[in-house]
């Protein structure tokens, strides 16, 4: 869990505060705490103690403890600007007086310094010092592990995944797991996505921006996942194989489609060339067909005229009787009829000869034809 650092206006009368006041005076030029505290300032260096052997010199042999003797995790270097002494204090005491001194050195009047100004300094400056210290101690190890598990984390520590087609390729869209299931160390523990928590641009609370370094939970998860990554590699391998199969099939379809289009284009071009090459022959056949149609039309009209003439020249008692019945005069080929009239009259005469009854339109047509002939 992250240590919360809160600022106090000044050292109080508690046990550790009294010890720190005394030791500060011992290391200062001034003889009283009220004067001595103005000699000290923060250097900006901070050290988080994890194991012996990597302590900076300015911890002065009391690594793990503030100058006052109180156990600490974060060690903040302080310097006496008069005597040149370097020492370290814990986070409680870096916020007790040095923040105010720092703001005074920046040009603020001490009686004008507000709690909000102190809080902002803590948020920005102390966080920056802690971050620098963390990276100095763990940065190389973190970078090595994080680079090794990024791709695997995105495929394993997820809520869901979907195959998407974007541009010209298939890929998996992974939905990161944003909250862990269970507790670290328990059976069935499922950690939240390491990448999402650390630097995913879609995470408004990503720790890269919030802290500048991973919190203890993320650091523990990263170590666990890195050292057990071989247990999950098959999941990523299966996903990669699935996507490769999809993309291989897609490329094969593209190649097949391209080949079909090529063949179709080639066929159309061959058809065009053949069509253009046969243009003269088609025109010759077209003209010949027109001539043949005309010839057949002439022959058909001739046959129809011959047939009509035969009918018109044919004598029949039935025809004579029915003309009397319908009140029309008999008509024959000798009268002055044109070829169209002859064909129409022959058609009506054939109906009469066959003994079929004329319909009204036949009679109207017959009267009109005979009347036209009389008018002529």
């Amino acid at each position: 869990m992250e240590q919360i650092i809160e600022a106090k206006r000044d050292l109080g009368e508690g046990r550790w505060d009294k010890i720190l006041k005394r030791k500060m005076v011992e290391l200062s030029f001034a003889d009283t705490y009220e004067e001595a505290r103005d000699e000290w300032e923060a250097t900006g260096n901070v050290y988080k103690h994890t194991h012996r052997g990597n302590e900076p010199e300015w911890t002065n042999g009391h690594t793990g403890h503030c100058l006052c003797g109180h156990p600490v995790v974060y060690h903040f270097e302080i310097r006496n600007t008069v005597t040149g002494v370097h020492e370290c204090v814990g986070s409680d005491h870096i916020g007790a007086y040095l923040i105010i001194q720092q703001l005074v050195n920046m040009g603020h009047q001490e009686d004008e310094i507000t709690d909000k100004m102190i809080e902002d300094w803590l948020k920005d400056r102390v966080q920056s010092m802690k971050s620098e210290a963390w990276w100095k101690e763990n940065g190389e190890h973190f970078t090595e592990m994080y680079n090794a598990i990024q791709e695997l984390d995105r495929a394993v520590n997820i809520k869901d995944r979907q195959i998407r087609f974007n541009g010209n390729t298939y890929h998996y869209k992974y939905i990161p797991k944003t909250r862990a299931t269970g507790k670290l160390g328990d059976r069935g523990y499922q950690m939240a996505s390491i990448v999402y928590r650390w630097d995913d641009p879609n995470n408004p609370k990503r720790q890269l921006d919030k802290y500048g370094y991973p919190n203890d939970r993320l650091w523990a998860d990263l170590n666990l996942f890195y050292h057990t990554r071989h247990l999950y590699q098959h999941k990523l391998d299966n996903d990669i194989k699935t996507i490769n199969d999809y993309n291989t099939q897609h490329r094969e379809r593209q190649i097949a489609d391209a080949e079909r289009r090529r063949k179709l284009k080639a066929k159309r071009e061959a058809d065009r060339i053949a069509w253009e090459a046969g243009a003269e022959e088609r025109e010759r056949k077209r003209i010949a067909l027109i001539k043949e149609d005309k010839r057949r039309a002439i022959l058909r009209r001739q046959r129809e005229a011959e047939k009509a003439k035969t009918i018109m020249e044919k004598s029949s008692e039935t025809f004579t009787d029915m003309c009397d019945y319908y009140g029309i005069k008999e008509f024959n080929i000798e009268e002055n009829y044109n070829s169209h009239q002859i064909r129409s009259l022959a058609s009506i005469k054939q109906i009469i000869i066959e003994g079929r009854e004329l319909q009204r339109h036949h009679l109207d047509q017959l009267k009109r034809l005979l009347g036209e002939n009389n008018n002529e």
Side-chain angles (χ1 to χ4, degrees):
M1 180 178 295
E2 287 297 308
Q3 178 182 356
I4 299 175
I5 301 176
E6 296 180 352
K8 296 183 294 184
R9 276 289 182 165
D10 202 351
L11 294 177
E13 296 301 319
R15 173 190 174 190
W16 301 116
D17 286 0
K18 287 181 179 180
I19 295 175
L20 182 58
K21 287 179 180 179
R22 176 173 56 80
K23 290 192 174 184
M24 286 176 61
V25 173
E26 291 175 356
L27 298 171
S28 300
F29 179 79
D31 295 328
T32 65
Y33 166 70
E34 287 71 18
E35 294 178 344
R37 73 172 189 170
D38 294 336
E39 297 180 13
W40 294 87
E41 68 177 5
T43 67
N45 293 325
V46 63
Y47 165 70
K48 181 181 179 183
H49 179 57
T50 54
H51 58 276
R52 296 191 179 277
N54 66 337
E55 306 92 340
E57 292 183 359
W58 47 264
T59 59
N60 291 326
H62 57 84
T63 304
H65 295 83
C66 174
L67 178 60
C68 70
H70 188 275
V72 296
V73 175
Y74 289 99
H75 305 65
F76 295 89
E77 183 185 21
I78 59 174
R79 182 177 68 89
N80 188 293
T81 59
V82 177
T83 64
V85 174
H86 289 253
E87 260 297 343
C88 69
V89 295
S91 56
D92 287 344
H93 288 152
I94 192 72
Y97 60 94
L98 290 174
I99 295 175
I100 295 175
Q101 183 60 41
Q102 178 77 3
L103 293 173
V104 169
N105 292 339
M106 293 169 61
H108 298 283
Q109 296 296 322
E110 184 170 349
D111 58 359
E112 296 176 350
I113 297 174
T114 65
D115 291 340
K116 180 66 167 57
M117 294 167 67
I118 297 173
E119 181 183 346
D120 289 344
W121 192 96
L122 274 171
K123 180 179 179 181
D124 298 334
R125 185 59 182 161
V126 175
Q127 188 67 34
S128 175
M129 288 190 293
K130 289 166 61 177
S131 176
E132 290 173 6
W134 194 95
W135 283 105
K136 184 176 181 180
E137 181 180 354
N138 304 298
E140 183 177 352
H141 193 203
F142 174 88
T143 302
E144 176 187 354
M145 292 193 297
Y146 187 71
N147 290 339
I149 61 87
Q150 281 189 69
E151 186 178 12
L152 187 62
D153 174 81
R154 291 190 180 97
V156 174
N157 295 319
I158 59 175
K159 291 188 295 186
D160 193 14
R161 62 182 178 178
Q162 303 161 352
I163 292 181
R164 298 288 183 84
F165 184 76
N166 185 18
N168 198 35
T169 59
Y170 286 92
H171 66 279
Y172 266 118
K173 176 178 176 58
Y174 295 107
I175 311 300
K177 188 173 179 63
T178 57
R179 296 178 66 87
T181 303
K183 295 182 179 180
L184 181 65
D186 290 351
R187 183 179 180 83
Y189 171 66
Q190 173 61 61
M191 67 181 65
S193 168
I194 295 171
V195 172
Y196 178 81
R197 285 181 284 167
W198 173 238
D199 63 357
D200 191 323
N202 296 316
N203 181 4
K205 298 181 180 180
R206 62 181 187 169
Q207 294 183 25
L208 176 63
D209 295 333
K210 186 176 182 180
Y211 306 121
Y213 60 96
N215 63 17
D216 292 342
R217 180 64 175 272
L218 180 58
W219 181 231
D221 281 347
L222 175 59
N223 277 275
L224 173 63
F225 194 67
Y226 174 79
H227 289 99
T228 58
R229 64 190 186 279
H230 62 281
L231 301 176
Y232 309 103
Q233 186 62 42
H234 68 281
K235 295 184 178 181
L236 178 59
D237 293 341
N238 288 338
D239 283 357
I240 293 174
K241 181 179 183 304
T242 298
I243 292 301
N244 287 339
D245 289 345
Y246 269 83
N247 285 319
T248 297
Q249 293 171 11
H250 176 62
R251 288 191 295 271
E252 290 174 350
R253 288 194 298 270
Q254 285 184 311
I255 293 172
D257 289 343
E259 180 62 16
R260 283 193 294 270
R261 289 192 297 270
R262 186 195 65 78
K263 289 182 178 180
L264 179 60
K265 182 178 180 181
K267 181 178 182 303
R268 287 175 175 172
E269 179 63 16
D271 290 345
R272 183 190 65 79
I273 294 173
W275 174 262
E276 292 178 353
E280 184 176 345
E281 177 64 16
R282 286 195 304 278
E283 180 64 14
R284 184 190 65 76
K285 289 182 177 179
R286 186 185 70 82
I287 294 173
L289 184 60
I290 292 174
K291 291 180 178 180
E292 178 63 17
D293 287 344
K294 288 181 179 180
R295 186 186 69 80
R296 291 181 178 181
I298 292 171
L299 291 176
R300 184 177 63 254
R301 287 194 296 270
Q302 289 176 348
R303 288 194 298 271
E304 290 174 351
E306 291 294 330
K307 181 179 179 181
K309 180 180 178 183
T310 301
I311 294 173
M312 290 293 285
E313 292 177 342
K314 185 177 182 180
S315 60
S316 168
E317 292 183 6
T318 301
F319 175 66
T320 300
D321 293 342
M322 292 307 295
C323 284
D324 289 339
Y325 174 77
Y326 288 117
I328 58 176
K329 70 174 184 176
E330 290 186 53
F331 45 89
N332 52 58
I333 195 65
E334 283 83 10
E335 297 185 34
N336 188 22
Y337 297 115
N338 59 37
S339 58
H340 174 71
Q341 290 173 329
I342 290 174
R343 288 195 300 274
S344 298
L345 290 171
S347 176
I348 295 173
K349 184 175 181 178
Q350 183 65 32
I351 294 174
I352 295 174
I353 292 174
E354 292 176 355
R356 291 182 288 148
E357 184 177 358
L358 294 179
Q359 301 299 318
R360 179 60 181 267
H361 68 276
H362 292 139
L363 293 171
D364 291 341
Q365 182 183 17
L366 185 58
K367 290 178 180 180
R368 185 178 65 255
L369 290 171
L370 296 176
E372 289 175 356
N373 187 55
N374 291 335
N375 289 335
E376 291 175 358

